[in-house]
Amino acid sequence: MAKITTVYKGDMLFESKLGNHSVIIDVPAGMGGSDRGPTPPELFVASLGSCVGAFIAQYCHRAGIDARDMTVDVSFDKADEPVRLVNLKVRVELPHGQCADRQAAMRRVAEHCPVHATITSMADLDFEVLGQEQLAAVAA
């Protein structure tokens, strides 16, 4: 099972280790953040946009469609109670691509990116919080 570790650096700043890379994550000012990095929801939305972009670019390459200067915009709203992202809309623009007859196929390709597939199929998310006592017991 793959794993990404996020470390609390203090002062509401986090660092996630993703393979050979590190990403600094901050929280919104209302939670004590200082705009030192993207927020967790921004990373989530960027993950969806880049995943869709990768799948569309791969499709374009195979289909001979020009993907140069492609952009993927993901718009969203924030809702309260419970706090969450809603109304996510993904818009892919291919300024050099002739693809009017392939839009349905490209939509299906975009919907199969792993991030989108996870969002739409997620039924369970398991949480486990371990304090000092539990960690000591696990280490023993």
Side-chain angles (χ1 to χ4, degrees):
M1 174 180 281
K3 178 173 79 171
I4 293 174
T5 301
T6 299
V7 177
Y8 180 52
K9 306 304 270 182
D11 195 32
M12 297 307 286
L13 188 68
F14 299 85
E15 181 179 16
S16 290
K17 304 283 187 180
L18 303 93
N20 294 325
H21 309 281
S22 293
V23 176
I24 296 296
I25 301 121
D26 205 346
V27 298
M31 292 179 66
S34 300
D35 200 27
R36 296 163 288 185
T39 65
E42 289 171 334
L43 285 173
F44 174 78
V45 171
S47 178
L48 175 60
S50 60
C51 188
V52 166
F55 272 60
I56 293 290
Q58 184 179 46
Y59 177 87
C60 288
H61 178 72
R62 286 194 314 262
I65 297 170
D66 190 343
R68 282 178 303 128
D69 303 321
M70 174 179 64
T71 60
V72 181
D73 292 327
V74 183
S75 59
F76 60 95
D77 294 316
K78 290 184 183 178
D80 295 322
E81 298 180 32
V83 175
R84 66 200 181 285
L85 302 181
V86 295
N87 302 323
L88 279 85
K89 295 182 178 152
V90 179
R91 178 182 172 135
V92 179
E93 294 185 4
L94 293 158
H96 307 288
Q98 299 288 326
C99 58
D101 60 335
R102 296 179 186 241
Q103 286 180 330
M106 294 176 87
R107 181 184 173 113
R108 286 191 301 275
V109 166
E111 290 173 344
H112 283 90
C113 93
V115 176
H116 178 267
T118 300
I119 293 167
T120 58
S121 68
M122 186 176 248
D124 294 320
L125 176 59
D126 193 29
F127 288 93
E128 182 178 29
V129 179
L130 303 176
Q132 182 180 21
E133 306 84 4
Q134 295 87 6
L135 290 171
V138 170

